[in-house]
Amino acid sequence: DAGITQSPRHKVTETGTPVTLRCHQTENHRYMYWYRQDPGHGLRLIHYSYGVKDTDKGEVSDGYSVSRSKTEDFLLTLESATSSQTSVYFCAISEAGGDNNEQFFGPGTRLTVL
Amino acid sequence: QQPVQSPQAVILREGEDAVINCSSSKALYSVHWYRQKHGEAPVFLMILLKGGEQKGHEKISASFNEKKQQSSLYLTASQLSYSGTYFCGTEDLRGGTSYGKLTFGQGTILTVHP
């Protein structure tokens, strides 16, 4: 299994508070992704990174920001959490750039915003 | 735009076959298939590339019709372990800046009974 961890695994927070989720990999893969998963919507890309300090928006980026200061860490921040951001968040990594760019997923973080 | 999967759900008896379809309105470079069990992370099954061959391992295989921008996942002689939600993820035609980004379908729930 690819070495990907996410922390925390579960979090309950209140509306308006900042929240940071961490994704850590030991595979030295260049590409990292943050998804959210909600019933009926599958997995939706929030932000992604194609290298240290290189990030870009996905399809549902409003209300989220990311940072990547090291190859192994990709942080997702909710500046002011809202109830609509209650979801399961998955981080994924990929070597990409070639034809075998399968993504490997972390275990997920279940976030509840009250 | 999200690819469309069909059917949304399928129920099988052990040993029966199933086909899950994934259709996109965009020109595609690749189609990925993942399986997710309840409470777990999605797990990569296979990639099909534009111009590539049909893939398969054990009793699970897939095809990619480039003209129709459709992919199908074939599960033969289903086993209890095949139960889960199957997602297709599509990668648009590359223009050098795809970065391996995937757009996922909404998922197909497969249930296999003894």
Side-chain angles (χ1 to χ4, degrees):
Chain A
D1 292 344
I4 313 169
T5 56
Q6 292 184 231
S7 59
R9 294 292 313 280
H10 302 271
K11 186 171 183 66
V12 179
T13 190
E14 294 187 349
T15 298
T17 60
V19 176
T20 296
L21 308 183
R22 180 187 185 224
C23 177
H24 178 78
Q25 61 146 327
T26 58
E27 304 296 322
N28 201 37
H29 282 1
R30 178 182 175 189
Y31 298 86
M32 299 185 76
Y33 311 86
W34 275 109
Y35 294 93
R36 61 177 290 173
Q37 185 173 37
D38 306 289
H41 289 280
L43 294 149
R44 292 182 291 174
L45 182 65
I46 305 171
H47 281 279
Y48 64 98
S49 170
Y50 47 97
V52 174
K53 298 187 179 179
D54 292 323
T55 64
D56 205 349
K57 297 177 180 180
E59 60 181 298
V60 290
S61 58
D62 287 348
Y64 302 94
S65 63
V66 290
S67 65
R68 192 172 178 197
S69 59
K70 298 184 290 185
T71 298
E72 57 265 36
D73 289 326
F74 192 32
L75 304 180
L76 176 71
T77 298
L78 292 67
E79 301 291 346
S80 178
T82 67
S83 58
S84 65
Q85 293 176 312
T86 292
S87 187
V88 179
Y89 292 85
F90 285 102
C91 172
I93 64 174
S94 172
E95 291 186 286
D99 288 340
N100 292 319
N101 60 332
E102 59 262 41
Q103 294 188 13
F104 300 98
F105 285 81
T109 295
R110 182 173 296 275
L111 177 67
T112 302
V113 183
L114 302 176
Chain B
Q1 192 169 357
Q2 193 177 28
V4 177
Q5 289 184 231
S6 62
Q8 290 186 322
V10 59
I11 299 174
L12 301 173
R13 294 273 181 204
E14 268 188 300
E16 293 180 338
D17 302 339
V19 180
I20 300 172
N21 300 301
C22 175
S23 180
S24 175
S25 59
K26 295 184 175 182
L28 300 177
Y29 175 78
S30 69
V31 180
H32 298 217
W33 285 97
Y34 293 79
R35 177 171 61 206
Q36 183 179 31
K37 292 187 179 288
H38 184 69
E40 299 181 5
V43 174
F44 171 78
L45 293 176
M46 62 188 75
I47 287 179
L48 297 103
L49 303 174
K50 176 180 167 62
E53 298 178 351
Q54 180 167 335
K55 293 284 189 73
H57 60 89
E58 295 185 349
K59 298 175 183 176
I60 300 176
S61 62
S63 62
F64 179 21
N65 185 322
E66 299 167 31
K67 291 183 179 179
K68 295 184 177 180
Q69 306 306 326
Q70 292 177 351
S71 178
S72 295
L73 184 71
Y74 307 95
L75 301 103
T76 59
S78 59
Q79 306 168 12
L80 294 176
S81 62
Y82 287 4
S83 292
T85 302
Y86 289 78
F87 293 97
C88 66
T90 57
E91 183 181 8
D92 297 346
L93 276 178
R94 291 184 176 182
T97 57
S98 170
Y99 301 121
K101 289 184 297 180
L102 298 179
T103 304
F104 285 89
Q106 80 280 16
T108 296
I109 301 172
L110 179 74
T111 305
V112 181
H113 290 299

